[in-house]
Amino acid sequence: MEAGFPVWAKDELARKMAETGADGCPVRDVLSQVSGKWSTLLMMALSGGALRFAELKRVTPDISQRMLTKTLRDLQRDGFITRTVFPSKPPKVVYELTDTGRSFLVPFSALVQWSLDYHEIIRASRRDFDEDSDLGEEDA
Amino acid sequence: MEAGFPVWAKDELARKMAETGADGCPVRDVLSQVSGKWSTLLMMALSGGALRFAELKRVTPDISQRMLTKTLRDLQRDGFITRTVFPSKPPKVVYELTDTGRSFLVPFSALVQWSLDYHEIIRASRRDFDEDSDLGEEDA
DNA sequence: CAGTATCCGCCGAGATACTG
DNA sequence: CAGTATCTCGGCGGATACTG
């Protein structure tokens, strides 16, 4: 247990995570945003300031129309971003992070940084694992 | 932009996240573990110390056999946990967090804490959103 | 420009039954 | 006890076409 890493109040967090009540546990509920393929990427894109629909699409080249719309609506619904319509012609819609959204990016950015730091280690671990499992295979 | 939250080096992180190279960007690659339904829960369960297969199953009641096995293998492959087999009869297999796994839980726990802190706010935001969209509906 | 609507494939995940 | 092996389903996400 004394592997150089501090012991947080994790026992309690672990219990909280396991609380799978009738309507789902709070943690999974919120973290489902993280799991979405585009939610976090769009929020990161908005971290530099407000952007309109087409701009978000441009800075996120491989997202589909459908998913862009849907993800933005979900983020708005959860209060991570605001959606402001300027009824011009053609219309102009601007998306912007809320305080909640910005606040989310603080712990999330730490996780992104972690994944950058450990990416190589993890890739190496995978290679080792896959090689070892190959050793036992005598295919036809 | 001066909403009370600091401006990290997020611009660079955002760019890193957008790097969707041929074999996928490093961030999404690593964060796919987070999105898995059980990976993080199992790691949290192991944060208190090593556990064997049946024990993990007991503390995670609604996981299926299949998913428990699969998730554990994925975590092992990525180097988050170790798997140690004691060739007794009946067999005994013990799972334990690696240093990488423990290190992951540091930023991740912050995110869990955040989701606990903001859960109510988010639920409220959803209610507002859903009510407002109901207003415009004159169903048959 | 900023969306909807529709169709469809993939795969994460559950349920169940079997094995060393 | 600690797994495999199959079958199945829901839903995320992509592609394409249409609209105010």
PDB file of all heavy atoms in Angstrom, chain A residues 14-28, chain B residues 37-38 41 59-63:
ATOM      1  N   ALA A  14     -15.200   5.470  -3.146  1.00  0.00           N
ATOM      2  CA  ALA A  14     -15.514   4.163  -3.709  1.00  0.00           C
ATOM      3  C   ALA A  14     -16.926   3.750  -3.337  1.00  0.00           C
ATOM      4  O   ALA A  14     -17.668   3.235  -4.160  1.00  0.00           O
ATOM      5  CB  ALA A  14     -14.512   3.120  -3.209  1.00  0.00           C
ATOM      6  N   ARG A  15     -17.280   4.005  -2.110  1.00  0.00           N
ATOM      7  CA  ARG A  15     -18.630   3.652  -1.681  1.00  0.00           C
ATOM      8  C   ARG A  15     -19.668   4.456  -2.456  1.00  0.00           C
ATOM      9  O   ARG A  15     -20.679   3.934  -2.908  1.00  0.00           O
ATOM     10  CB  ARG A  15     -18.792   3.872  -0.182  1.00  0.00           C
ATOM     11  CG  ARG A  15     -18.883   2.551   0.585  1.00  0.00           C
ATOM     12  CD  ARG A  15     -19.133   2.762   2.063  1.00  0.00           C
ATOM     13  NE  ARG A  15     -17.966   3.270   2.751  1.00  0.00           N
ATOM     14  CZ  ARG A  15     -17.879   4.476   3.294  1.00  0.00           C
ATOM     15  NH1 ARG A  15     -18.896   5.314   3.203  1.00  0.00           N
ATOM     16  NH2 ARG A  15     -16.785   4.841   3.906  1.00  0.00           N
ATOM     17  N   LYS A  16     -19.382   5.739  -2.620  1.00  0.00           N
ATOM     18  CA  LYS A  16     -20.307   6.603  -3.363  1.00  0.00           C
ATOM     19  C   LYS A  16     -20.507   6.081  -4.780  1.00  0.00           C
ATOM     20  O   LYS A  16     -21.607   6.099  -5.333  1.00  0.00           O
ATOM     21  CB  LYS A  16     -19.758   8.033  -3.423  1.00  0.00           C
ATOM     22  CG  LYS A  16     -19.791   8.760  -2.101  1.00  0.00           C
ATOM     23  CD  LYS A  16     -21.178   9.270  -1.802  1.00  0.00           C
ATOM     24  CE  LYS A  16     -21.185  10.136  -0.552  1.00  0.00           C
ATOM     25  NZ  LYS A  16     -22.552  10.599  -0.239  1.00  0.00           N
ATOM     26  N   MET A  17     -19.413   5.636  -5.384  1.00  0.00           N
ATOM     27  CA  MET A  17     -19.505   5.156  -6.757  1.00  0.00           C
ATOM     28  C   MET A  17     -20.350   3.906  -6.855  1.00  0.00           C
ATOM     29  O   MET A  17     -20.987   3.659  -7.875  1.00  0.00           O
ATOM     30  CB  MET A  17     -18.117   4.866  -7.323  1.00  0.00           C
ATOM     31  CG  MET A  17     -17.450   6.067  -7.930  1.00  0.00           C
ATOM     32  SD  MET A  17     -16.139   5.575  -9.068  1.00  0.00           S
ATOM     33  CE  MET A  17     -17.063   4.959 -10.471  1.00  0.00           C
ATOM     34  N   ALA A  18     -20.321   3.120  -5.807  1.00  0.00           N
ATOM     35  CA  ALA A  18     -21.043   1.855  -5.851  1.00  0.00           C
ATOM     36  C   ALA A  18     -22.536   2.041  -5.583  1.00  0.00           C
ATOM     37  O   ALA A  18     -23.326   1.141  -5.821  1.00  0.00           O
ATOM     38  CB  ALA A  18     -20.459   0.887  -4.819  1.00  0.00           C
ATOM     39  N   GLU A  19     -22.904   3.207  -5.122  1.00  0.00           N
ATOM     40  CA  GLU A  19     -24.309   3.482  -4.828  1.00  0.00           C
ATOM     41  C   GLU A  19     -25.144   3.501  -6.102  1.00  0.00           C
ATOM     42  O   GLU A  19     -25.374   4.544  -6.698  1.00  0.00           O
ATOM     43  CB  GLU A  19     -24.444   4.865  -4.166  1.00  0.00           C
ATOM     44  CG  GLU A  19     -24.160   4.864  -2.678  1.00  0.00           C
ATOM     45  CD  GLU A  19     -24.224   6.272  -2.138  1.00  0.00           C
ATOM     46  OE1 GLU A  19     -24.728   7.156  -2.861  1.00  0.00           O
ATOM     47  OE2 GLU A  19     -23.756   6.492  -1.014  1.00  0.00           O
ATOM     48  N   THR A  20     -25.616   2.346  -6.470  1.00  0.00           N
ATOM     49  CA  THR A  20     -26.426   2.286  -7.679  1.00  0.00           C
ATOM     50  C   THR A  20     -27.881   2.253  -7.284  1.00  0.00           C
ATOM     51  O   THR A  20     -28.529   1.223  -7.315  1.00  0.00           O
ATOM     52  CB  THR A  20     -26.062   1.059  -8.512  1.00  0.00           C
ATOM     53  OG1 THR A  20     -24.644   0.993  -8.621  1.00  0.00           O
ATOM     54  CG2 THR A  20     -26.649   1.155  -9.900  1.00  0.00           C
ATOM     55  N   GLY A  21     -28.382   3.418  -6.931  1.00  0.00           N
ATOM     56  CA  GLY A  21     -29.771   3.510  -6.484  1.00  0.00           C
ATOM     57  C   GLY A  21     -30.738   3.267  -7.617  1.00  0.00           C
ATOM     58  O   GLY A  21     -30.362   2.873  -8.722  1.00  0.00           O
ATOM     59  N   ALA A  22     -32.004   3.499  -7.338  1.00  0.00           N
ATOM     60  CA  ALA A  22     -33.056   3.234  -8.312  1.00  0.00           C
ATOM     61  C   ALA A  22     -32.830   4.043  -9.593  1.00  0.00           C
ATOM     62  O   ALA A  22     -32.929   3.521 -10.694  1.00  0.00           O
ATOM     63  CB  ALA A  22     -34.413   3.585  -7.717  1.00  0.00           C
ATOM     64  N   ASP A  23     -32.493   5.318  -9.428  1.00  0.00           N
ATOM     65  CA  ASP A  23     -32.307   6.171 -10.599  1.00  0.00           C
ATOM     66  C   ASP A  23     -30.834   6.321 -10.968  1.00  0.00           C
ATOM     67  O   ASP A  23     -30.429   7.278 -11.599  1.00  0.00           O
ATOM     68  CB  ASP A  23     -32.938   7.547 -10.360  1.00  0.00           C
ATOM     69  CG  ASP A  23     -32.576   8.079  -8.984  1.00  0.00           C
ATOM     70  OD1 ASP A  23     -31.587   7.576  -8.413  1.00  0.00           O
ATOM     71  OD2 ASP A  23     -33.268   8.967  -8.489  1.00  0.00           O
ATOM     72  N   GLY A  24     -30.012   5.369 -10.589  1.00  0.00           N
ATOM     73  CA  GLY A  24     -28.606   5.422 -10.954  1.00  0.00           C
ATOM     74  C   GLY A  24     -27.785   6.218  -9.972  1.00  0.00           C
ATOM     75  O   GLY A  24     -28.290   7.125  -9.328  1.00  0.00           O
ATOM     76  N   CYS A  25     -26.520   5.885  -9.857  1.00  0.00           N
ATOM     77  CA  CYS A  25     -25.676   6.581  -8.905  1.00  0.00           C
ATOM     78  C   CYS A  25     -25.229   7.918  -9.489  1.00  0.00           C
ATOM     79  O   CYS A  25     -25.085   8.070 -10.695  1.00  0.00           O
ATOM     80  CB  CYS A  25     -24.465   5.730  -8.533  1.00  0.00           C
ATOM     81  SG  CYS A  25     -23.019   5.967  -9.557  1.00  0.00           S
ATOM     82  N   PRO A  26     -25.048   8.918  -8.617  1.00  0.00           N
ATOM     83  CA  PRO A  26     -24.702  10.259  -9.058  1.00  0.00           C
ATOM     84  C   PRO A  26     -23.437  10.295  -9.906  1.00  0.00           C
ATOM     85  O   PRO A  26     -23.375  11.012 -10.901  1.00  0.00           O
ATOM     86  CB  PRO A  26     -24.468  11.019  -7.739  1.00  0.00           C
ATOM     87  CG  PRO A  26     -25.155  10.235  -6.698  1.00  0.00           C
ATOM     88  CD  PRO A  26     -25.140   8.816  -7.156  1.00  0.00           C
ATOM     89  N   VAL A  27     -22.472   9.512  -9.514  1.00  0.00           N
ATOM     90  CA  VAL A  27     -21.183   9.577 -10.192  1.00  0.00           C
ATOM     91  C   VAL A  27     -21.298   9.136 -11.638  1.00  0.00           C
ATOM     92  O   VAL A  27     -20.910   9.850 -12.564  1.00  0.00           O
ATOM     93  CB  VAL A  27     -20.137   8.723  -9.449  1.00  0.00           C
ATOM     94  CG1 VAL A  27     -18.813   8.775 -10.169  1.00  0.00           C
ATOM     95  CG2 VAL A  27     -19.987   9.225  -8.021  1.00  0.00           C
ATOM     96  N   ARG A  28     -21.854   7.953 -11.836  1.00  0.00           N
ATOM     97  CA  ARG A  28     -22.012   7.452 -13.198  1.00  0.00           C
ATOM     98  C   ARG A  28     -22.886   8.393 -14.015  1.00  0.00           C
ATOM     99  O   ARG A  28     -22.657   8.620 -15.198  1.00  0.00           O
ATOM    100  CB  ARG A  28     -22.664   6.063 -13.204  1.00  0.00           C
ATOM    101  CG  ARG A  28     -21.728   4.949 -12.810  1.00  0.00           C
ATOM    102  CD  ARG A  28     -21.937   3.734 -13.722  1.00  0.00           C
ATOM    103  NE  ARG A  28     -21.781   4.072 -15.114  1.00  0.00           N
ATOM    104  CZ  ARG A  28     -20.608   4.154 -15.742  1.00  0.00           C
ATOM    105  NH1 ARG A  28     -19.490   3.929 -15.101  1.00  0.00           N
ATOM    106  NH2 ARG A  28     -20.555   4.480 -17.010  1.00  0.00           N
TER     107      ARG A  28
ATOM    108  N   LYS B  37     -18.134   0.972 -18.442  1.00  0.00           N
ATOM    109  CA  LYS B  37     -19.090   1.027 -17.340  1.00  0.00           C
ATOM    110  C   LYS B  37     -18.494   0.551 -16.028  1.00  0.00           C
ATOM    111  O   LYS B  37     -18.870   1.013 -14.965  1.00  0.00           O
ATOM    112  CB  LYS B  37     -20.308   0.163 -17.700  1.00  0.00           C
ATOM    113  CG  LYS B  37     -21.440   0.275 -16.703  1.00  0.00           C
ATOM    114  CD  LYS B  37     -22.685  -0.411 -17.236  1.00  0.00           C
ATOM    115  CE  LYS B  37     -23.849  -0.304 -16.269  1.00  0.00           C
ATOM    116  NZ  LYS B  37     -25.048  -0.973 -16.784  1.00  0.00           N
ATOM    117  N   TRP B  38     -17.549  -0.368 -16.091  1.00  0.00           N
ATOM    118  CA  TRP B  38     -17.090  -1.013 -14.862  1.00  0.00           C
ATOM    119  C   TRP B  38     -15.641  -0.740 -14.500  1.00  0.00           C
ATOM    120  O   TRP B  38     -15.255  -0.903 -13.332  1.00  0.00           O
ATOM    121  CB  TRP B  38     -17.290  -2.522 -14.984  1.00  0.00           C
ATOM    122  CG  TRP B  38     -18.710  -2.905 -15.220  1.00  0.00           C
ATOM    123  CD1 TRP B  38     -19.238  -3.414 -16.369  1.00  0.00           C
ATOM    124  CD2 TRP B  38     -19.798  -2.797 -14.297  1.00  0.00           C
ATOM    125  NE1 TRP B  38     -20.579  -3.636 -16.217  1.00  0.00           N
ATOM    126  CE2 TRP B  38     -20.942  -3.268 -14.945  1.00  0.00           C
ATOM    127  CE3 TRP B  38     -19.901  -2.349 -12.972  1.00  0.00           C
ATOM    128  CZ2 TRP B  38     -22.195  -3.299 -14.325  1.00  0.00           C
ATOM    129  CZ3 TRP B  38     -21.136  -2.386 -12.361  1.00  0.00           C
ATOM    130  CH2 TRP B  38     -22.253  -2.855 -13.036  1.00  0.00           C
ATOM    131  N   LEU B  41     -15.026   1.589 -11.567  1.00  0.00           N
ATOM    132  CA  LEU B  41     -15.627   1.069 -10.346  1.00  0.00           C
ATOM    133  C   LEU B  41     -14.771  -0.050  -9.757  1.00  0.00           C
ATOM    134  O   LEU B  41     -14.555  -0.111  -8.543  1.00  0.00           O
ATOM    135  CB  LEU B  41     -17.039   0.559 -10.656  1.00  0.00           C
ATOM    136  CG  LEU B  41     -17.955   0.306  -9.473  1.00  0.00           C
ATOM    137  CD1 LEU B  41     -17.945   1.478  -8.513  1.00  0.00           C
ATOM    138  CD2 LEU B  41     -19.364   0.025  -9.950  1.00  0.00           C
ATOM    139  N   VAL B  59     -18.537  -7.309  -4.191  1.00  0.00           N
ATOM    140  CA  VAL B  59     -18.640  -5.872  -3.922  1.00  0.00           C
ATOM    141  C   VAL B  59     -19.183  -5.105  -5.124  1.00  0.00           C
ATOM    142  O   VAL B  59     -19.382  -3.897  -5.055  1.00  0.00           O
ATOM    143  CB  VAL B  59     -17.271  -5.277  -3.516  1.00  0.00           C
ATOM    144  CG1 VAL B  59     -16.773  -5.943  -2.253  1.00  0.00           C
ATOM    145  CG2 VAL B  59     -16.265  -5.395  -4.643  1.00  0.00           C
ATOM    146  N   THR B  60     -19.383  -5.799  -6.226  1.00  0.00           N
ATOM    147  CA  THR B  60     -19.946  -5.173  -7.418  1.00  0.00           C
ATOM    148  C   THR B  60     -21.118  -6.028  -7.869  1.00  0.00           C
ATOM    149  O   THR B  60     -21.032  -6.720  -8.870  1.00  0.00           O
ATOM    150  CB  THR B  60     -18.883  -5.105  -8.539  1.00  0.00           C
ATOM    151  OG1 THR B  60     -17.641  -4.703  -7.982  1.00  0.00           O
ATOM    152  CG2 THR B  60     -19.285  -4.111  -9.614  1.00  0.00           C
ATOM    153  N   PRO B  61     -22.205  -5.930  -7.137  1.00  0.00           N
ATOM    154  CA  PRO B  61     -23.260  -6.950  -7.252  1.00  0.00           C
ATOM    155  C   PRO B  61     -23.850  -7.091  -8.646  1.00  0.00           C
ATOM    156  O   PRO B  61     -24.118  -8.194  -9.102  1.00  0.00           O
ATOM    157  CB  PRO B  61     -24.333  -6.447  -6.270  1.00  0.00           C
ATOM    158  CG  PRO B  61     -23.635  -5.469  -5.380  1.00  0.00           C
ATOM    159  CD  PRO B  61     -22.567  -4.858  -6.222  1.00  0.00           C
ATOM    160  N   ASP B  62     -24.071  -5.986  -9.330  1.00  0.00           N
ATOM    161  CA  ASP B  62     -24.809  -6.076 -10.582  1.00  0.00           C
ATOM    162  C   ASP B  62     -23.933  -6.229 -11.819  1.00  0.00           C
ATOM    163  O   ASP B  62     -24.382  -5.965 -12.933  1.00  0.00           O
ATOM    164  CB  ASP B  62     -25.738  -4.864 -10.738  1.00  0.00           C
ATOM    165  CG  ASP B  62     -25.048  -3.585 -10.319  1.00  0.00           C
ATOM    166  OD1 ASP B  62     -23.882  -3.672  -9.875  1.00  0.00           O
ATOM    167  OD2 ASP B  62     -25.645  -2.511 -10.447  1.00  0.00           O
ATOM    168  N   ILE B  63     -22.695  -6.644 -11.627  1.00  0.00           N
ATOM    169  CA  ILE B  63     -21.856  -6.900 -12.802  1.00  0.00           C
ATOM    170  C   ILE B  63     -22.046  -8.352 -13.227  1.00  0.00           C
ATOM    171  O   ILE B  63     -22.257  -9.237 -12.400  1.00  0.00           O
ATOM    172  CB  ILE B  63     -20.361  -6.618 -12.510  1.00  0.00           C
ATOM    173  CG1 ILE B  63     -19.582  -6.513 -13.809  1.00  0.00           C
ATOM    174  CG2 ILE B  63     -19.773  -7.692 -11.610  1.00  0.00           C
ATOM    175  CD1 ILE B  63     -18.141  -6.080 -13.623  1.00  0.00           C
TER     176      ILE B  63
END
